[in-house]
Amino acid sequence: GVVLILVLIAFFATIILRLFPLYMEQFKVSTTMEAIKEEAESTKMSAKAIQKRILKRFQIDDVDGVDKSDIQIEKTARGFEIKIDYEARTPLMGNVDAVVRFDKSVEVRSP
């Protein structure tokens, strides 16, 4: 009985340790998007300039899971909508991988 409990604890601890970096990276993505949303000059920038600023912040924050093609910026009536939709994959055990899908969007509005 004790061995079974230890095996289960080790299994779930392995899953948590493998998924934690993916969720930390998603936290950095969310933080960057919220920072862009709060910046006053973002409403005056072009979509290309916003994308460059996001990618530069990702480089500084060491976000490797998000590619340039994962970032969509659309012009709206009130400003821009920034959407980042990507999948992150990490090996769990042997040939078993965990795939986590993230989808975050924010609206940058003109004052």
Side-chain angles (χ1 to χ4, degrees), residues 1-12:
V2 173
V3 172
L4 180 63
I5 292 173
L6 291 175
V7 167
L8 285 174
I9 290 173
F11 175 73
F12 287 111

Side-chain angles (χ1 to χ4, degrees), residues 10-28 86-93 96-102:
F11 175 73
F12 287 111
T14 302
I15 290 174
I16 290 170
L17 289 174
R18 296 292 179 146
L19 293 178
F20 182 75
L22 301 179
Y23 281 96
M24 282 301 299
E25 187 170 80
Q26 170 59 20
F27 177 74
K28 292 176 186 177
Y86 69 102
E87 288 184 355
R89 177 182 300 261
T90 187
L92 283 180
M93 293 174 218
V96 178
D97 289 351
V99 178
V100 185
R101 186 164 183 265
F102 297 106

Side-chain angles (χ1 to χ4, degrees), residues 29-44:
V29 169
S30 295
T31 303
T32 298
M33 291 177 72
E34 291 298 327
I36 294 291
K37 177 183 171 182
E38 298 299 321
E39 289 179 0
E41 70 239 18
S42 294
T43 58
K44 299 172 187 147

Side-chain angles (χ1 to χ4, degrees), residues 65-82:
V66 180
D67 199 293
K68 186 178 182 178
S69 63
D70 297 328
I71 303 170
Q72 293 105 27
I73 302 173
E74 295 179 8
K75 185 109 170 110
T76 62
R78 302 175 114 183
F80 291 99
E81 181 182 21
I82 304 169

